[in-house]
Amino acid sequence: MDIQFVCDAYACVVYIISYISKAEREMGLLLKHAQNEVKSKGNVEAKQALNKLGGVFLHNREVSAQESVYRLTNMHLKECSRKVVFVPTGDNLVRMSLPLNVIQKRAEQQDINKDKIWMTNITDRYKSRPKTNDFKDMCLASFASEYRDVAKSEHSQSHVIKLDNDCGYIRKRTSTDVAVVRYAHFSPTHECEKHYQSLLQLFLPYFTDNQLKPPQFHCFEEFYDTGSITNSRNEIKSVKEVVDLNRSKFEKEAEELERCEEAVEHVGFQEDVWAELCPEAELQRLESIEEMSVNKDLFPTEREIIPDLQPQNTPVSLEFPKQKISYSEAQSIMRSLNELQSQVFYKIRQWCLDKVNGKNPAPFHVFISGGAGTGKSHLI
């Protein structure tokens, strides 16, 4: 193993930055080629030349031989057993606009409705789902997990469901498992209103935004705690009961985990928390350490019995390799050692003499470090 021992924070930063900013020969050649193209065009403004170089730098990168083979053979760089769907919540959702040519065409037709310049997202498709019993009691999280958007080429296939308001088509996930739903989490104490708004958007069935907070309720938390709805079977259910039931399908021990996160934010990580989680094991560990220290003081010369190191009854013949270096050559190499190298050499030499003379010295541990060419291999 090539291990670099770093005990200085600045040296660690320099070591990492040197790898990040390591020169890449191929990238340098690409930039040089782009620069030559700019020069060949004559008088080009500095801004245009910089844009040209920046485009080359941002859209090209050096790849390994393994990744090149993967891309050339169309092999998958990554695979997942489940699809992951992000569901945005809140008031100001990030939306994608339609292509510019579509917007310009609608502007020429005097169709300048601001709502028609945006692409449909998962929330739009959910609110445009069919008003049947199968979909009426379905929350947004279940809709995003169990159904997927269908491309135009699949519209004519079976089991495809048409959405209202020209929001496209959907299909139930059958070839793969249901998707994992991701969404933002808000603190119930610091961002109370956003927290309950997110819960209602994700886990309460609705078709319009007004159903998430009827006019008679002042806030989302009040509707969550005291509100009620009528399901597809004309049963009156409390909002809290419906939300908690749907939430339990996607979150396990959600409230306990939120309290843990808040505790970590306020208190921080506890390094010695193991002693509180399992005090018996911690006590046993401390007692073992104390017992070992006591025994070491009582029997300082006692050694641990290791079978492999015990003397054998049968004689063992050892054949040592012949010396490959003459005494004069060794003397010459020893004279070439510097002062610190000599100290290390004679320290180990003394250990060898003590070992041969039966003094049973303690094992030596020497850490040899230094940059390239400082003589580590020479000393060893």
Side-chain angles (χ1 to χ4, degrees):
M1 294 183 295
D2 182 7
I3 299 175
Q4 180 70 32
F5 184 80
V6 181
C7 55
D8 181 21
Y10 178 77
C12 183
V13 172
V14 171
Y15 188 80
I16 295 173
I17 295 298
S18 64
Y19 267 98
I20 296 176
S21 58
K22 183 177 65 174
E24 295 181 350
R25 181 174 178 272
E26 285 74 11
M27 179 58 69
L29 293 176
L30 280 174
L31 292 174
K32 186 176 181 180
H33 180 70
Q35 187 178 16
N36 293 334
E37 284 186 355
V38 172
K39 290 181 179 180
S40 64
K41 293 181 179 179
N43 297 328
V44 180
E45 295 183 1
K47 184 177 181 180
Q48 294 179 354
L50 187 61
N51 287 336
K52 176 69 176 178
L53 293 175
V56 172
F57 182 78
L58 291 176
H59 295 89
N60 296 276
R61 69 180 180 88
E62 187 174 356
V63 298
S64 64
Q66 291 82 1
E67 184 179 349
S68 301
V69 171
Y70 264 71
R71 293 187 178 276
L72 289 173
T73 55
N74 292 324
M75 299 175 70
H76 293 293
L77 291 176
K78 64 177 183 178
E79 288 186 1
C80 299
S81 59
R82 296 283 189 94
K83 296 291 184 181
V84 179
V85 179
F86 178 77
V87 179
T89 56
D91 291 326
N92 300 319
L93 303 180
V94 177
R95 309 199 65 173
M96 300 291 292
S97 66
L98 292 170
L100 183 60
N101 58 348
V102 176
I103 297 176
Q104 291 175 343
K105 184 177 180 180
R106 291 186 176 181
E108 293 173 358
Q109 299 174 354
Q110 302 299 320
D111 187 5
I112 54 175
N113 187 348
K114 65 178 183 179
D115 294 331
K116 293 185 177 181
I117 67 172
W118 305 108
M119 298 179 65
T120 58
N121 57 18
I122 185 66
T123 306
D124 297 330
R125 291 191 289 273
Y126 169 71
K127 291 190 289 187
S128 300
R129 68 193 188 281
K131 295 180 175 60
T132 59
N133 292 336
D134 295 335
F135 287 98
K136 185 176 181 181
D137 296 334
M138 182 178 291
C139 64
L140 175 57
S142 298
F143 179 83
S145 177
E146 298 176 12
Y147 289 85
R148 65 177 179 86
D149 191 20
V150 172
K152 290 184 178 181
S153 59
E154 301 180 65
H155 288 179
S156 59
Q157 297 181 7
S158 59
H159 305 293
V160 173
I161 303 170
K162 187 178 185 305
L163 300 175
D164 299 337
N165 304 321
D166 294 329
C167 285
Y169 296 80
I170 60 171
R171 187 174 185 175
K172 193 175 182 65
R173 301 181 190 273
T174 54
S175 58
T176 60
D177 292 329
V178 293
V180 176
V181 179
R182 292 181 59 247
Y183 42 85
H185 290 264
F186 301 98
S187 171
T189 54
H190 300 107
E191 298 175 299
C192 178
E193 194 66 0
K194 288 185 177 180
H195 170 75
Y196 287 102
Q197 181 186 15
S198 176
L199 291 182
L200 294 173
Q201 288 177 328
L202 288 167
F203 306 115
L204 182 69
Y206 70 99
F207 285 93
T208 62
D209 293 334
N210 293 332
Q211 294 176 306
L212 294 175
K213 188 178 69 175
Q216 64 269 27
F217 294 93
H218 299 288
C219 60
F220 293 104
E221 182 180 6
E222 182 184 359
F223 183 54
Y224 171 80
D225 290 329
T226 62
S228 60
I229 62 172
T230 304
N231 60 17
S232 60
R233 296 183 295 274
N234 292 325
E235 298 173 345
I236 298 178
K237 297 285 186 179
S238 68
V239 173
K240 188 177 187 306
E241 178 185 358
V242 174
V243 170
D244 292 348
L245 177 62
N246 290 328
R247 188 183 183 187
S248 64
K249 301 175 183 177
F250 296 89
E251 298 181 0
K252 305 298 181 184
E253 308 294 342
E255 296 181 357
E256 287 76 6
L257 291 174
E258 289 176 356
R259 285 197 292 268
C260 291
E261 287 182 337
E262 292 182 359
V264 170
E265 291 178 0
H266 288 87
V267 181
F269 291 99
Q270 300 182 25
E271 296 181 358
D272 299 330
V273 73
W274 167 253
E276 300 178 8
L277 292 175
C278 193
E280 297 84 1
E282 179 67 10
L283 179 60
Q284 183 179 4
R285 184 183 70 85
L286 296 176
E287 290 175 350
S288 299
I289 294 176
E290 184 178 358
E291 183 180 356
M292 289 174 61
S293 62
V294 172
N295 292 336
K296 184 177 181 181
D297 296 335
L298 293 177
F299 310 101
T301 60
E302 182 179 357
R303 298 181 62 194
E304 182 180 358
I305 299 176
I306 302 176
D308 292 345
L309 300 182
Q310 298 306 305
Q312 299 180 357
N313 297 328
T314 57
V316 179
S317 61
L318 298 177
E319 181 179 352
F320 293 93
K322 294 182 179 180
Q323 188 177 4
K324 297 181 180 180
I325 185 172
S326 65
Y327 181 77
S328 59
E329 290 175 340
Q331 287 285 84
S332 175
I333 294 176
M334 289 170 57
R335 293 191 189 99
S336 66
L337 300 178
N338 59 34
E339 182 179 358
L340 185 59
Q341 291 173 334
S342 298
Q343 292 177 4
V344 176
F345 175 83
Y346 283 107
K347 178 180 176 66
I348 297 177
R349 177 180 179 274
Q350 186 60 43
W351 183 92
C352 294
L353 292 175
D354 293 342
K355 186 74 172 177
V356 171
N357 294 328
K359 294 184 179 180
N360 198 15
F364 66 86
H365 303 278
V366 181
F367 178 78
I368 301 174
S369 179
T374 54
K376 298 187 296 295
S377 302
H378 180 71
L379 171 61
I380 294 172

